[in-house]
């Protein structure tokens, strides 16, 4: 099958991000034709003028719709795209010049109807962005739980950098209304329909994550809250590893309490862990400031995710609360 690529990009009040992303499209080194579909999700800060400025350089279309969330906006874009293979990106991504070539090579070597690619930190990113990127992607943090490994059938692509065939989109009806969590939910439903997913390690994007410490906590807290809901919808996907951040937090607090009775082995163990994290961050980023910032980033990630996971598990699995009624902010309303 000849692949015809359509990039689907939902945008919400981020014209500057749209500008940077489209500039990276211009820099792609590829002979493959592709289209770009920008879906403005009810923004008050429009990206239309930015898109119009690129129409003489890129095959690009622009749609404005009422705000209904990123999942529904991606579905909206895929319904209007002309290609037979969709590549979904977040607006805060920047593409390296070889991105599309790597996607093509990956699909030629091992065709699947859904793939995901990793994220990386660009040299122009701030130290905070680089530290959070390390925390989100390192194998020693919950980055490992995100499935950052090369495996067919079990890898859950994330929608900041995700490919989906038109066949799989039509069969699955695309993304649901939960957010975040709409991307692993889609992956699981695709598996149930007999489709395969995989990671294409070389098809990475620079994921800018315009974020602060407080916003990072809110983000990972929501990630933790969503997972028990997905586990209740798809019981076969439950894993003990999803409990690791919560157990990490309990252990950390307990080790501090042990100091009150002059027992310090717990805190020593955690100190060794953070020492290893600091070393790995230094090797990865070659920046001592980023490496130091990676430690609070890891702590925030574990406590945000761990608390969210525990709170949601109690509500959904113990108290049998309806997820949408109990956590309405995790769901966009149907239009």
């Amino acid at each position: 099958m000849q692949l015809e690529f359509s990039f689907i990009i939902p945008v919400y009040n981020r014209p500057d991000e749209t500008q940077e992303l489209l500039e990276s499209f211009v820099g792609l080194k590829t002979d493959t034709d592709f289209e770009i579909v920008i879906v403005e999700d009810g923004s008050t800060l429009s990206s239309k003028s930015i898109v119009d400025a690129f129409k003489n350089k890129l095959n690009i279309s622009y749609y404005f719709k009422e705000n209904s969330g990123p999942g529904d906006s991606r579905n909206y874009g895929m319904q209007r795209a002309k290609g037979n293979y969709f590549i979904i990106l977040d607006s805060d991504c920047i593409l390296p010049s070889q991105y599309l070539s790597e996607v093509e090579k990956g699909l030629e070597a091992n065709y699947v109807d859904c793939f995901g690619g990793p994220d990386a930190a660009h040299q122009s990113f701030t130290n905070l962005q680089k530290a959070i990127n390390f925390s989100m992607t390192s194998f020693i943090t919950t980055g490992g739980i995100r499935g950052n490994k090369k495996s067919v059938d079990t890898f859950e692509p994330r929608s900041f950098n995700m490919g989906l065939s038109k066949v799989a989109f039509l069969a699955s009806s695309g993304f649901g209304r939960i957010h975040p969590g709409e991307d692993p939910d889609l992956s699981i439903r695709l598996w149930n329909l007999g489709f395969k997913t995989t990671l294409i390690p070389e098809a990475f994007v620079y994921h800018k994550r315009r974020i602060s410490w407080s916003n990072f906590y809110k983000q990972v807290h929501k990630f933790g809250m969503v997972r028990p809901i997905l586990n209740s919808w798809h019981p076969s996907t439950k894993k003990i590893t999803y409990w690791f951040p919560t157990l990490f937090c309990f252990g950390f607090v307990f080790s501090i309490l042990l100091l009150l009775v002059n027992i310090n082995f717990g805190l020593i163990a955690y100190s060794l862990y953070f020492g290893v994290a600091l070393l790995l961050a230094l090797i990865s980023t070659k920046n001592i400031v980023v490496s130091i910032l990676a430690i609070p980033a890891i702590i925030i990630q574990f406590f945000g995710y761990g608390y969210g996971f525990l709170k949601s598990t109690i509500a959904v699995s113990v108290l049998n609360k309806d997820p949408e009624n109990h956590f309405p902010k995790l769901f966009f309303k149907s239009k």
Side-chain angles (χ1 to χ4, degrees):
M1 178 179 66
Q2 181 66 39
L3 296 182
E4 299 171 353
F5 293 104
S6 295
F7 286 87
I8 313 297
I9 306 162
V11 178
Y12 182 70
N13 287 341
R14 296 295 175 87
D16 291 344
E17 288 182 355
T18 305
Q19 171 89 27
E20 287 184 302
L21 178 53
L22 293 181
E23 285 173 354
S24 70
F25 271 107
V26 175
L28 284 180
K29 295 179 180 178
T30 180
D31 295 324
T32 301
D33 292 331
F34 60 88
E35 71 163 337
I36 303 169
V37 179
I38 302 289
V39 181
E40 191 94 64
D41 186 26
S43 300
T44 55
L45 294 175
S46 174
S47 295
K48 188 176 188 306
S49 62
I50 302 295
V51 173
D52 288 343
F54 282 87
K55 284 195 171 179
N56 62 338
K57 301 177 184 178
L58 298 167
N59 177 14
I60 187 169
S61 56
Y62 172 90
Y63 297 94
F64 183 93
K65 54 176 279 298
E66 185 179 356
N67 179 255
S68 58
D72 185 62
S73 296
R74 297 180 193 115
N75 293 343
Y76 184 97
M78 288 186 282
Q79 289 165 355
R80 287 156 180 79
K82 299 179 178 65
N84 59 17
Y85 208 103
F86 309 128
I87 300 178
I88 301 155
L89 301 173
D90 278 357
S91 63
D92 60 353
C93 290
I94 300 171
L95 300 181
S97 61
Q98 74 280 7
Y99 175 81
L100 188 55
S101 298
E102 295 296 346
V103 169
E104 289 185 289
K105 284 197 293 185
L107 292 177
E108 287 172 2
N110 174 35
Y111 179 83
V112 291
D113 286 278
C114 181
F115 76 85
D119 51 347
H122 192 269
Q123 61 182 5
S124 66
F125 288 8
T126 67
N127 288 337
L128 176 58
Q129 288 169 330
K130 292 175 181 178
I132 289 176
N133 180 80
F134 174 82
S135 177
M136 291 289 284
T137 59
S138 175
F139 72 92
I140 66 167
T141 68
T142 52
I145 294 174
R146 293 169 74 226
N148 192 15
K149 60 183 179 178
K150 189 175 182 181
S151 58
V152 176
D153 297 329
T154 57
F155 179 73
E156 295 179 359
R158 294 297 190 260
S159 52
F160 66 83
N161 179 14
M162 179 181 189
L164 182 68
S165 73
K166 185 174 183 178
V167 171
F169 169 64
L170 294 175
S172 64
S173 299
F175 295 94
R177 293 186 297 106
I178 192 170
H179 178 73
E182 69 275 20
D183 29 19
D185 172 59
L186 175 57
S187 296
I188 297 166
R189 288 189 286 111
L190 288 172
W191 299 338
N192 292 337
L193 290 168
F195 293 102
K196 292 184 178 181
T197 62
T198 195
L199 171 70
I200 301 180
E202 297 78 15
F204 67 89
V205 299
Y206 299 114
H207 198 186
K208 199 153 192 175
R209 289 195 183 93
R210 299 176 189 250
I211 203 165
S212 63
W213 287 125
S214 60
N215 286 339
F216 180 49
Y217 176 83
K218 292 175 184 176
Q219 181 186 58
V220 294
H221 183 66
K222 285 184 176 180
F223 289 161
M225 292 171 64
V226 158
R227 182 53 69 172
I229 297 174
L230 297 180
N231 289 344
S232 70
W233 291 351
H234 312 289
S236 63
T237 64
K238 291 181 180 180
K239 297 178 183 177
I240 189 63
T241 51
Y242 295 139
W243 279 97
F244 284 0
T246 304
L247 297 175
F248 178 96
C249 298
F250 277 125
F252 187 76
V253 173
F254 187 62
S255 68
I256 293 176
L257 293 176
L258 286 177
L259 288 178
L260 299 176
V261 291
N262 295 320
I263 299 175
N264 61 3
F265 68 86
L267 206 58
I268 290 174
Y270 277 89
S271 297
L272 289 173
Y273 170 81
F274 289 125
V276 171
L278 180 69
L279 179 61
L280 291 175
L282 186 58
I283 294 172
S284 173
T285 67
K286 298 177 176 60
N287 185 317
I288 186 61
V289 175
V290 173
S291 303
I292 293 171
L293 289 174
I295 303 306
I298 290 171
I299 293 173
I300 290 171
Q301 185 177 7
F302 272 116
F303 274 84
Y305 189 103
Y307 173 53
F309 183 86
L310 179 63
K311 179 172 66 175
S312 183
T313 296
I314 292 172
V316 175
S317 300
V318 178
L319 301 179
N320 293 318
K321 298 289 186 180
D322 177 74
E324 188 165 354
N325 290 332
H326 197 68
F327 300 116
K329 292 184 178 180
L330 295 178
F331 294 84
F332 279 89
K333 299 300 181 184
S334 298
K335 296 295 181 181

